[in-house]
Amino acid sequence: MDDDLAYYDRLGPWAAQRAVRDTLHASDAELASMRASRDLLGVDFGGEFYYPVSQFKDGSIVASLKLVLTALSSGFSSSERQVAWLSEPAYESGALTRWEVLHRDVHTVHEWAAEDAAAACR
């Protein structure tokens, strides 16, 4: 259990459902719909949803996140795997995560997501 907590802590920081609901001015049902349509990435921890803070910028969801999540979904079906993929280093010799690159260059991250999802299906 402690190993699981440490692992998920490394993928964060995380925002609780209430904070995201308040920030986006959305109901729980609207957030569920956004998760289902891949507009928003949330992970269920013991019946409570938490959201990677990195998917937000200036109080909104990062533009074109849906494009990346849709590409990832063909090879990484669970939201936990998608968060892990986005939290990994973007470049072998760099410190930037894919989340950080997504804020600057959604098209590159989309290409990586499509390639890695296809490779995961082989």
Side-chain angles (χ1 to χ4, degrees):
M1 180 77 161
D2 289 337
D3 289 341
D4 290 344
L5 291 174
Y7 173 74
Y8 285 110
D9 279 347
R10 283 193 303 275
L11 301 180
W14 298 90
Q17 172 102 353
R18 181 178 180 175
V20 174
R21 186 178 59 224
D22 293 347
T23 298
L24 298 179
H25 308 288
S27 67
D28 289 340
E30 289 169 321
L31 293 179
S33 177
M34 294 168 79
R35 289 190 310 272
S37 63
R38 297 187 180 93
D39 290 313
L40 181 65
L41 184 56
V43 175
D44 182 353
F45 294 116
E48 303 265 342
F49 277 93
Y50 291 87
Y51 301 83
V53 171
S54 298
Q55 69 187 309
F56 303 103
K57 183 177 181 178
D58 302 325
S60 298
I61 299 168
V62 173
S64 300
L65 177 63
K66 180 176 185 156
L67 186 68
V68 173
L69 295 180
T70 299
L72 280 176
S73 68
S74 66
F76 303 95
S77 59
S78 76
S79 55
E80 294 89 342
R81 298 251 346 249
Q82 293 173 12
V83 172
W85 186 89
L86 285 158
S87 299
E88 290 176 354
Y91 306 101
E92 285 185 31
S93 61
L96 290 178
T97 67
R98 292 176 179 135
W99 280 120
E100 292 168 303
V101 175
L102 176 66
H103 283 260
R104 302 175 193 157
D105 185 1
V106 68
H107 299 295
T108 296
V109 177
H110 174 254
E111 287 177 15
W112 293 340
E115 290 170 4
D116 286 357
C121 292
R122 291 186 202 132

